[in-house]
């Protein structure tokens, strides 16, 4: 599985750092929703689902966490700890987020509004759907 990441334009000087993310330029979809995950408790695992059509870019604004990506054939772990970097997660990719540092703030840019209908929350159902979409 090819892991796609983006390095956002970052300006750092003696005052600190500023990273910029521009819709229509830096993100491969129109951003329709932004949400953020924070105050995560120790030893929790979030995500554990795939999306039928949603595409997202995850940015770890503060702290660190790990993301497991599973396309039904391969699984890869990505460590997130740089606010100037984005991780693309396409449709039909199972994701799990874990090992959150207590200060972790994970911002997500999403290609569509929230709807529970887009989630596949059972891993066996995901494998079946991933195999079917590959056979098509
Ligand atoms: C994803 C990973 C990276 C909303 O009301 N609006 C929203 O936009 C979202 C994302 C969630 N919610 C509600 C639904 C649940 O009652 O917030 C609650 C927690 O959501 P969930 O358990 O799905 O959160 P995570 O961290 O397991 O997964 C989230 C996203 O849902 C998911 O799309 O890819 O972050």
């Amino acid at each position: 599985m090819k892991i796609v990441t983006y390095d956002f334009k970052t300006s750092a000087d003696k005052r600190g750092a500023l990273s910029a993310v521009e819709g229509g330029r830096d993100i491969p979809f129109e951003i329709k929703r932004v949400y953020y995950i924070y105050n995560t408790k120790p030893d929790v695992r979030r995500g554990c689902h795939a999306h039928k059509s949603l595409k997202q870019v995850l940015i770890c604004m503060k702290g660190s966490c790990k993301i497991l990506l599973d396309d039904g054939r391969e699984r890869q772990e990505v460590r997130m700890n740089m606010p100037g970097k984005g991780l693309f997660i396409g449709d039909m990719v199972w994701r799990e987020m874990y090992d959150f540092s207590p200060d972790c703030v994970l911002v997500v840019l999403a290609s569509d509004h929230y709807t529970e209908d887009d989630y596949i929350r059972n891993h066996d159902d995901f494998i079946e759907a991933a195999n079917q979409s590959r056979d098509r």
Side-chain angles (χ1 to χ4, degrees):
M1 183 190 352
K2 188 168 180 280
I3 301 293
V4 177
T5 58
Y6 306 109
D7 290 309
F8 302 122
K9 185 172 178 244
T10 298
S11 309
D13 58 33
K14 59 184 178 199
R15 297 170 298 170
L18 184 157
S19 295
V21 182
E22 298 198 31
R25 291 187 175 171
D26 300 318
I27 302 295
F29 50 77
E30 184 194 345
I31 301 164
K32 289 209 181 152
R33 175 166 52 112
V34 177
Y35 62 92
Y36 30 99
I37 295 167
Y38 55 99
N39 275 353
T40 306
K41 303 302 171 221
D43 300 324
V44 296
R45 226 170 164 87
R46 302 192 64 118
C48 306
H49 59 253
H51 282 283
K52 295 174 196 165
S53 64
L54 190 74
K55 295 165 185 53
Q56 303 189 105
V57 171
L58 279 60
I59 306 168
C60 186
M61 289 293 174
K62 192 169 166 59
S64 64
C65 65
K66 289 180 185 157
I67 318 272
L68 174 83
L69 298 178
D70 170 0
D71 67 359
R73 281 203 287 215
E74 260 184 84
R75 292 158 78 85
Q76 283 198 48
E77 184 183 83
V78 180
R79 182 155 192 267
M80 305 280 293
N81 62 353
M82 288 165 70
K85 218 175 180 79
L87 171 69
F88 177 77
I89 307 183
D91 55 293
M92 293 306 290
V93 175
W94 185 268
R95 81 288 319 267
E96 299 182 12
M97 300 97 78
Y98 50 96
D99 276 2
F100 290 91
S101 63
D103 59 347
C104 182
V105 180
L106 190 62
V107 173
V108 183
L109 314 178
S111 64
D112 217 335
H113 300 137
Y114 175 74
T115 168
E116 185 57 35
D117 291 348
D118 194 61
Y119 284 72
I120 305 175
R121 292 195 181 271
N122 177 287
H123 194 262
D124 291 340
D125 294 346
F126 162 67
I127 295 293
E128 197 180 321
N131 287 338
Q132 277 173 10
S133 66
R134 262 193 294 271
D135 291 346
R136 251 183 253 131

